[in-house]
Amino acid sequence: MTESLRRAEQRYINRELSWLGFDSRVLEQALNRNNPLLERVKFLAISARNLDEFFRVRIGSLKFADERGSQKTGIAGMTVTQQLTAIRGEVRQLMQRQYDCFLAELMPE
């Protein structure tokens, strides 16, 4: 690996993990008690819709590449398999936070 490629990997974050990070920040607005209840419900719905789109678009593409045996490394330095593994952990946490937000916070209010 060339030095310029190593530097690029250190400067860039994975696109899919960035998408999930954005979705997590949207969910934080649903958890923010300073926002009106209906706005919080809307933020939760946006977070859920974004995650649905993420699976339809991004995970579908990654699974297809994984099934083809792709060993290609993206600009952030992760292979398809590494991306899927990292995404799995992030999605589990995000979905748990979504369920907790709905069941423990928004529904009781």
Side-chain angles (χ1 to χ4, degrees), residues 3-105:
E3 182 61 31
S4 63
L5 198 53
R6 265 191 230 107
R7 283 196 309 263
E9 288 176 2
Q10 293 170 349
R11 283 192 308 239
Y12 295 103
I13 57 173
N14 179 271
R15 177 172 70 172
E16 283 71 22
L17 295 177
S18 176
W19 180 322
L20 293 174
F22 171 77
D23 208 21
S24 181
R25 291 188 298 278
V26 171
L27 180 58
E28 286 173 14
Q29 294 303 308
L31 293 164
N32 185 342
R33 291 181 178 267
N34 292 325
N35 290 327
L37 180 59
L38 187 55
E39 293 301 312
R40 294 173 66 198
V41 171
K42 288 179 184 179
F43 279 119
L44 177 61
I46 291 167
S47 173
R49 186 181 61 226
N50 286 352
L51 191 58
D52 179 59
E53 181 181 349
F54 177 77
F55 270 88
R56 284 185 286 117
V57 176
R58 299 307 311 150
I59 296 298
S61 297
L62 288 172
K63 293 292 275 180
F64 182 71
D66 191 44
E67 289 170 2
R68 287 191 337 249
S70 175
Q71 294 300 316
K72 186 177 176 184
T73 301
I75 195 163
M78 297 176 78
T79 66
V80 171
T81 304
Q82 289 170 329
Q83 290 178 68
L84 288 170
T85 301
I87 288 167
R88 186 176 299 116
E90 293 294 320
V91 166
R92 281 185 182 153
Q93 290 176 3
L94 181 60
M95 288 180 70
Q96 186 61 55
R97 288 177 58 214
Q98 287 175 333
Y99 285 120
D100 291 346
C101 175
F102 180 70
L103 295 174
E105 299 220 13

